[in-house]
Amino acid sequence: IVGLSREEITEEHKTIFSNSLWFLLTYDETDNTWRNQLKQKITYLIQSKKLLQESVTYDFDVAIINALRKPEHYWIKKVLSNNWKEVPIAGDKCTTYYTTTLQSNSGKSIRVVTCFANQMASTASAVLTTKVIYNFRPRYLFMTGIAAAVDENNINYGDVLIATEVWDGASGKYKDTDSSENLFMPDYRQKSLDSAFLSIVDKLKDDLCILRNISDEYAPTSKPTSSLAIHTGPMASVPAVIASKAELQKIQEHARKLIGIEMEAYGMFYAADNAISPRPQIVASIKSVSDFATKLKNDSYQDYASYTSAALLKHIITKELSF
């Protein structure tokens, strides 16, 4: 508070202002001293506010984003906590944010924020990621939900796919050929998973007890008979839902060890990599298999797949990560 008076300021008023560390200035039409002092104070306050907004310290421990309200975001909220609080962000009427607190094995309180996009694909997830990082400054950033697997022989419904590399599957150039078909020349610029986080995942692959417990705790009946497993490898983000074996094979031609495709992870990785400081220390896509990207797409296991990805992430947050 800055007080401005035309009259001589009394000692009583000086005491009131000084006790509260407020400023008192005397207005004078013939002297600009008060004007310069007021301008310097306003400039200082503006710069201080900007420095606070650009703070390089983390705020929330974990942020989780989803592409769909149902089933992906529904299962994150259901699995992680029954005590979510809606947090309004001034000026943002497009996204609803929810926060909760989890407890780690060591008793550490873990602050978590989650939200979902208004539509699928990488553009929407990139915008959402940017807003989450700006508003909540999370140390760790995750995306859960559903994906399509490419290997029907070794990967089953509900299995968790964790991308070691992810790229935009539609990035490249189409070129005319002598045949009637166009040649697609890919321009893959991949984003890679943090190696320390990959070590955590590789250890969990062999922990059959944890995976069995996750599967057994799923209450609904629509569940595959296969044992739950974790798979790591390259994944592609594509701008449209694929229900064609031929289109899937075109992507596989450029990534021999491809384990799956989805629509949003590249946007999250790209936005996080180009965000303001502090950028998340770890960014990871943890999605489970709901189909195999063929014309025989099966939506029966979308809930189970959303559940397994959420449940594995909860285990990782509360038992594996450092805070």
Side-chain angles (χ1 to χ4, degrees):
I1 294 177
V2 177
L4 189 64
S5 173
R6 284 179 176 270
E7 307 298 334
E8 184 66 29
I9 300 167
T10 66
E11 289 300 321
E12 177 186 358
H13 292 129
K14 285 182 179 179
T15 301
I16 293 174
F17 272 69
S18 63
N19 286 343
S20 299
L21 296 181
W22 297 342
F23 292 89
L24 271 173
L25 301 176
T26 302
Y27 172 81
D28 188 341
E29 293 180 351
T30 63
D31 187 355
N32 282 335
T33 300
W34 66 272
R35 185 192 301 270
N36 295 331
Q37 290 174 330
L38 184 58
K39 184 176 180 180
Q40 289 178 14
K41 175 57 63 176
I42 293 173
T43 301
Y44 169 78
L45 292 173
I46 291 173
Q47 292 174 343
S48 297
K49 184 176 181 180
K50 184 179 293 186
L51 287 173
L52 287 173
Q53 292 174 333
E54 296 174 353
S55 170
V56 294
T57 58
Y58 290 107
D59 185 1
F60 275 70
D61 297 299
V62 174
I64 306 166
I65 65 175
N66 299 113
L68 300 169
R69 184 176 69 86
K70 284 189 175 182
E72 299 175 336
H73 185 68
Y74 167 83
W75 281 104
I76 276 292
K77 292 179 67 178
K78 184 176 179 63
V79 169
L80 264 67
S81 173
N82 58 6
N83 186 29
W84 292 95
K85 178 183 178 183
E86 185 175 328
V87 178
I89 297 296
D92 187 356
K93 305 300 182 184
C94 300
T95 303
T96 304
Y97 303 94
Y98 302 89
T99 63
T100 193
T101 301
L102 303 179
Q103 295 293 322
S104 70
N105 271 2
S106 61
K108 163 76 176 178
S109 292
I110 305 169
R111 300 175 69 217
V112 179
V113 59
T114 186
C115 56
F116 61 92
N118 293 324
Q119 67 182 61
M120 298 186 293
S122 282
T123 301
S125 67
V127 171
L128 187 62
T129 298
T130 301
K131 293 199 296 184
V132 167
I133 293 174
Y134 180 81
N135 289 316
F136 299 97
R137 301 197 305 275
R139 184 178 300 273
Y140 302 121
L141 174 64
F142 300 102
M143 175 180 284
T144 63
I146 58 177
V150 301
D151 186 352
E152 298 183 54
N153 296 319
N154 298 303
I155 301 178
N156 299 301
Y157 288 110
D159 283 1
V160 184
L161 307 181
I162 299 179
T164 54
E165 300 89 26
V166 64
W167 70 91
D168 182 357
S171 176
K173 177 181 179 180
Y174 285 96
K175 184 178 180 180
D176 286 334
T177 64
D178 294 335
S179 65
S180 59
E181 293 186 0
N182 291 332
L183 173 65
F184 177 66
M185 304 171 66
D187 181 21
Y188 294 154
R189 305 188 182 193
Q190 66 187 27
K191 301 295 182 182
S192 300
L193 183 65
D194 178 81
S195 58
F197 185 75
L198 181 58
S199 297
I200 293 174
V201 173
D202 285 338
K203 181 186 69 174
L204 291 175
K205 280 183 180 180
D206 299 324
D207 200 324
L208 301 182
C209 181
I210 290 175
L211 296 175
R212 184 167 55 250
N213 288 340
I214 289 175
S215 180
D216 290 345
E217 289 174 5
Y218 181 72
T221 56
S222 183
K223 183 171 70 171
T225 57
S226 57
S227 299
L228 182 63
I230 299 172
H231 306 272
T232 56
M235 293 185 68
S237 291
V238 294
V241 175
I242 292 182
S244 166
K245 192 71 173 179
E247 291 300 318
L248 179 61
Q249 288 175 343
K250 290 180 182 178
I251 301 174
Q252 270 186 290
E253 289 176 0
H254 306 290
R256 181 174 57 86
K257 296 183 179 181
L258 185 76
I259 62 170
I261 58 172
E262 49 78 67
M263 298 177 66
E264 297 83 18
Y266 182 79
M268 175 188 67
F269 273 88
Y270 183 88
D273 194 38
N274 290 273
I276 62 172
S277 296
R279 293 193 294 269
Q281 290 180 356
I282 291 176
V283 180
S285 170
I286 302 175
K287 294 193 174 187
S288 296
V289 180
S290 64
D291 64 79
F292 289 89
T294 66
K295 64 180 180 179
L296 301 176
K297 286 181 76 71
N298 186 350
D299 294 339
S300 301
Y301 297 121
Q302 285 191 353
D303 278 297
Y304 179 65
S306 297
Y307 160 78
T308 58
S309 65
L312 180 64
L313 177 58
K314 182 179 182 180
H315 171 86
I316 291 172
I317 293 173
T318 57
K319 295 180 171 59
E320 304 292 344
L321 293 180
S322 299
F323 296 94

